[in-house]
Amino acid sequence: MPETRKGRALFAPLAAVLALAYPAAAAPAPQRVVSMNLCTDEMAMLIAAPGQLHSVSFLAADPISSVLAPEASRYKANHGQAEEIFLMQPDLVLAGTYTTGATVDLLRRLGIRVEQFAPENSFDDIRAGLRRMGEVLGQRQRAEDLVADLDRRLAAVKAGDHDGMTAAIYYANSYTSGSGTLIDDVMAKAGLTNIATKFGYAGMERLPLELLVLSDPDLLVTADRGYSAPALAQQGFDHPAFRAQAALSGAVDLASRYTICGAPFTAEAVRLLSQGADARKAAPK
């Protein structure tokens, strides 16, 4: 035994040198990927190599929610059910951190690799998410290209002088978004002050119509206000006080598909808000 230990001690430095000279081969990129979350759907569609992505969630084909709805038809749709995902025989499943928890748990117990991604709440989160997706798909250069594309798009936005201008986001059911949300960072990049953040709101909270009117924002931002069918969730947009405020402030209807998930296309939301603020400034109250 002493001789064995001595031999191991002698060969240890040699083994370390060989490990540096001949590093272990990188794990092969997954070949059959299934995504069951809208945001991982879109990132994977942007980053995956041809033939690498097999299935995306059914939400990816919804033009209201997904910027890449036309591209989604290239992939098999799934509804996040463990049985259907397992039968697809994926070697990697992409999921969100707040959805399909039971499916994720069951797939992992069945020995399937699952990578979960948290929602993007800032442009830094978008960059980190794209890079991580590039890592797990074995497409690092493609991810870096997309990060560079995002930065180019943001730099190309001709932000006017919006210093001191306030904006209010008003969703269906009277919800707004405060600090710690992607739309809040979008507003900041457009040079606007989010009144919800100013009031101390964090995440998504209800903004009473009375408070919206009293705050008298310079720009009113709505999302998908032109809903095609009658809905109680949309009735706040028909209230006389809201319509009066929209006429007074000037309103920008920003399609929610640009801010539900983060990607280079989120820079378009910055451009649209900056453009809306420029128009509002040119036509003061």
Side-chain angles (χ1 to χ4, degrees):
M1 290 296 293
E3 290 296 320
T4 301
R5 286 197 295 270
K6 183 178 179 181
R8 287 176 180 171
L10 290 172
F11 280 103
L14 178 59
V17 171
L18 290 173
L20 290 173
Y22 302 97
Q31 299 301 306
R32 193 173 179 83
V33 179
V34 171
S35 171
M36 51 183 190
N37 170 270
L38 175 60
C39 295
T40 57
D41 293 340
E42 294 191 295
M43 280 197 292
M45 283 192 280
L46 289 169
I47 293 174
Q52 188 178 27
L53 181 61
H54 175 69
S55 175
V56 295
S57 79
F58 71 99
L59 291 172
D62 177 10
I64 294 177
S65 303
S66 172
V67 173
L68 302 179
E71 288 83 351
S73 62
R74 302 174 189 170
Y75 309 97
K76 185 177 179 64
N78 72 75
H79 291 77
Q81 300 299 310
E83 297 84 350
E84 64 173 340
I85 303 297
F86 178 75
L87 291 173
M88 290 178 187
Q89 298 184 308
D91 54 2
L92 173 65
V93 172
L94 305 171
T97 51
Y98 296 112
T99 57
T100 58
T103 298
V104 168
D105 181 59
L106 182 53
L107 291 174
R108 283 176 170 162
R109 283 191 282 145
L110 291 169
I112 295 175
R113 178 189 173 194
V114 180
E115 294 287 344
Q116 290 180 284
F117 287 72
E120 301 87 19
N121 293 320
S122 67
F123 282 98
D124 283 343
D125 285 351
I126 295 174
R127 295 182 185 95
L130 289 169
R131 288 182 170 123
R132 183 170 171 235
M133 184 63 75
E135 183 77 24
V136 300
L137 294 180
Q139 307 294 334
R140 296 178 185 84
Q141 187 55 55
R142 177 59 181 152
E144 288 300 331
D145 291 344
L146 289 169
V147 171
D149 183 36
L150 170 64
D151 290 337
R152 279 194 298 270
R153 293 191 192 197
L154 287 174
V157 174
K158 293 179 173 58
D161 180 13
H162 306 147
D163 189 37
M165 289 187 70
T166 59
I169 180 77
Y170 199 71
Y171 297 118
N173 281 321
S174 304
Y175 275 96
T176 192
S177 291
S179 62
T181 62
L182 185 54
I183 185 63
D184 184 62
D185 203 19
V186 165
M187 287 183 175
K189 292 292 186 295
L192 299 167
T193 298
N194 184 359
I195 65 160
T197 300
K198 193 175 179 180
F199 291 153
Y201 285 26
M204 287 192 70
E205 296 188 42
R206 284 182 179 272
L207 176 64
L209 182 56
E210 296 86 349
L211 184 56
L212 172 69
V213 172
L214 287 172
S215 68
D216 191 22
D218 295 307
L219 190 67
L220 185 57
V221 183
T222 58
D224 308 319
R225 185 156 44 120
Y227 195 65
S228 59
L232 290 176
Q234 302 277 321
Q235 65 182 356
F237 298 136
D238 291 326
H239 195 285
F242 175 85
R243 286 187 288 177
Q245 186 63 49
L248 187 64
S249 296
V252 174
D253 193 56
L254 182 65
S256 59
R257 61 180 175 269
Y258 292 122
T259 57
I260 289 176
C261 300
F265 52 68
T266 307
E268 176 66 5
V270 179
R271 188 190 71 79
L272 291 171
L273 288 191
S274 182
Q275 180 179 284
D278 286 342
R280 175 67 189 87
K281 195 170 182 181
K285 297 176 185 178

